[in-house]
């Protein structure tokens, strides 16, 4: 397959144009909402295009793209759906995680958890948890609810299916990484899947009930409340009920039976002025 068409136009779409397309389509296939997508030139097709016009390019999942290529889905239908993409109608794009039948390892920054039921509990809410299989031979189930610092939902995981609101500024899939941004240089979340046994939150910048959790580029995890802050530069929990339990009054680590390892922990009781 040629990387340029007869007008010399490269198949590589500039990133600013891709962003406009993702935002218009709600970060998923315009027909089904699947966030594992491809960029499709609608009218004209790529072979006849002289430029990458975001008003004439849409997102299609592999299945829907194949239907278009095989002539089972018309360009007229694609044009019609581009006026009201599925993600904007339902409010989110979605995608699956492959999780195995043994307890997955979940890593948040440099905090490693294995067989921990609730990885993070904030003021009584389980914002990240792993449930056992509902039946023998079925997968473990990851659930999460993450918001940005203004309290807007940016990611929800429901029994291994992740959903990202179409109201996000940007949601991008690159290989096995999911990246959510609140602005051009504001990365809110980078989540990497290593199926079937590992899920890695490489970057997190979130707030829940006034409590902030931040980790950047696989480094130290920082939890900040209205009265205190702790920074862990290396921590692991195994076979616990709760990994991190935090309220505005207290922080507890490694609750329940199991083991907790802390390489280095810094604790400050200075009020959060932000």
């Amino acid at each position: 397959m040629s990387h340029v068409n007869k007008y010399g136009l490269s198949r590589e779409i500039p990133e600013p144009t891709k962003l406009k397309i993702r935002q218009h389509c709600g970060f998923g296939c315009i027909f089904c909402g699947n966030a594992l997508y491809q960029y499709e030139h609608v009218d004209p097709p790529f072979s006849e295009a002289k430029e990458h016009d975001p008003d004439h390019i849409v997102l299609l999942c592999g299945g829907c793209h194949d239907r278009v290529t095989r002539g089972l889905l018309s360009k007229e239908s694609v044009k019609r759906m581009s006026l009201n993409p599925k993600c904007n109608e339902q409010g989110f794009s979605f995608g699956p995680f492959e999780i195995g039948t043994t307890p997955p390892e979940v890593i948040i920054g440099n905090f490693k958890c294995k067989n921990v039921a609730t990885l993070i509990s904030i003021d009584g809410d389980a914002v990240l948890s792993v449930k056992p299989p509902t039946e023998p031979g079925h997968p473990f189930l990851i659930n999460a609810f993450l918001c940005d610092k203004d309290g807007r939902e940016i990611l929800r995981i429901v029994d291994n299916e992740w959903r990202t609101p179409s109201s996000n500024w940007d949601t991008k899939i690159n290989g096995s990484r999911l990246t959510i941004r609140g602005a051009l240089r504001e990365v809110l979340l980078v989540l990497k899947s290593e199926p079937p046994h590992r899920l890695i939150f490489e970057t997190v910048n979130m707030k829940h009930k006034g409590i902030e959790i931040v980790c950047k580029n696989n480094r130290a995890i920082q939890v900040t409340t209205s009265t205190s802050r702790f920074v862990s530069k290396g921590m692991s929990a195994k076979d616990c009920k709760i990994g991190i339990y935090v309220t505005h009054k207290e922080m507890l680590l490694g609750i329940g039976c199991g083991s907790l390892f802390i390489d280095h922990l810094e604790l400050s009781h200075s009020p959060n002025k932000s």
Side-chain angles (χ1 to χ4, degrees):
M1 180 182 294
S2 175
H3 294 289
V4 298
N5 66 9
K6 63 184 179 182
Y7 296 108
L9 182 67
S10 170
R11 286 188 177 274
E12 183 59 37
I13 302 173
E15 189 54 43
T17 302
K18 285 184 176 181
L19 174 59
K20 291 180 181 179
I21 298 166
R22 292 196 298 269
Q23 290 174 334
H24 170 74
C25 295
F27 313 111
C29 175
I30 61 172
F31 281 95
C32 65
N34 193 324
L36 302 179
Y37 48 71
Q38 303 166 11
Y39 296 87
E40 170 73 358
H41 286 74
V42 182
D43 187 18
F46 172 74
S47 61
E48 300 295 329
K50 296 181 179 180
E51 63 177 337
H52 294 296
D53 185 346
D55 293 331
H56 296 282
I57 305 174
V58 299
L59 302 181
L60 295 177
C61 70
C64 291
H65 187 272
D66 192 44
R67 290 167 64 198
V68 172
T69 301
R70 293 172 182 268
L72 299 174
L73 192 60
S74 69
K75 289 284 188 174
E76 286 71 21
S77 294
V78 176
K79 293 178 194 177
R80 184 173 64 252
M81 285 302 296
S82 70
L83 300 176
N84 186 28
K86 182 66 174 181
C87 297
N88 294 336
E89 179 185 336
Q90 66 187 9
F92 60 89
S93 60
F94 68 90
F97 286 125
E98 181 193 355
I99 304 298
T101 57
T102 58
E105 181 180 46
V106 182
I107 302 173
I108 310 144
N110 59 7
F111 178 35
K112 298 180 179 181
C113 296
K114 186 72 175 286
N115 198 29
V116 176
T118 300
L119 289 82
I120 299 177
S121 175
I122 297 180
D123 206 19
D125 294 344
V127 298
L128 179 57
S129 63
V130 179
K131 296 189 299 186
T134 55
E135 298 180 27
H138 284 214
F140 277 73
L141 301 171
I142 292 178
N143 289 270
F145 181 78
L146 305 182
C147 296
D148 65 14
K149 291 187 177 181
D150 294 319
R152 291 187 294 261
E153 178 184 336
I154 60 170
L155 175 74
R156 184 188 297 261
I157 303 175
V158 180
D159 291 346
N160 298 341
E161 179 183 271
W162 52 266
R163 301 176 181 179
T164 56
S166 55
S167 58
N168 280 350
W169 189 80
D170 187 26
T171 299
K172 180 180 178 180
I173 306 294
N174 186 12
S176 62
R177 279 184 174 85
L178 166 67
T179 300
I180 299 175
R181 294 185 293 166
L184 184 61
R185 294 178 178 84
E186 183 186 9
V187 178
L188 301 176
L189 179 75
V190 177
L191 176 56
K192 181 183 179 183
S193 175
E194 294 184 354
H197 303 307
R198 185 176 291 114
L199 200 62
I200 305 171
F201 291 80
E202 296 180 338
T203 298
V204 176
N205 193 357
M206 65 162 289
K207 179 182 283 188
H208 187 85
K209 290 186 174 180
I211 294 173
E212 291 183 4
I213 294 184
V214 175
C215 65
K216 296 182 179 179
N217 303 321
N218 291 306
R219 296 176 183 175
I221 182 170
Q222 176 178 293
V223 181
T224 305
T225 74
S226 57
T227 59
S228 60
R229 171 183 298 158
F230 88 78
V231 179
S232 169
K233 296 184 179 179
M235 183 167 62
S236 62
K238 185 176 180 181
D239 304 326
C240 298
K241 292 182 178 179
I242 302 177
I244 297 176
Y245 176 88
V246 56
T247 71
H248 286 283
K249 295 181 179 179
E250 61 180 347
M251 295 185 194
L252 301 175
L253 304 174
I255 298 176
C257 299
S259 61
L260 177 70
F261 170 79
I262 301 175
D263 179 50
H264 182 79
L265 185 67
E266 298 175 2
L267 180 64
S268 170
H269 293 287
S270 300
N272 177 21
K273 301 296 185 180
S274 60

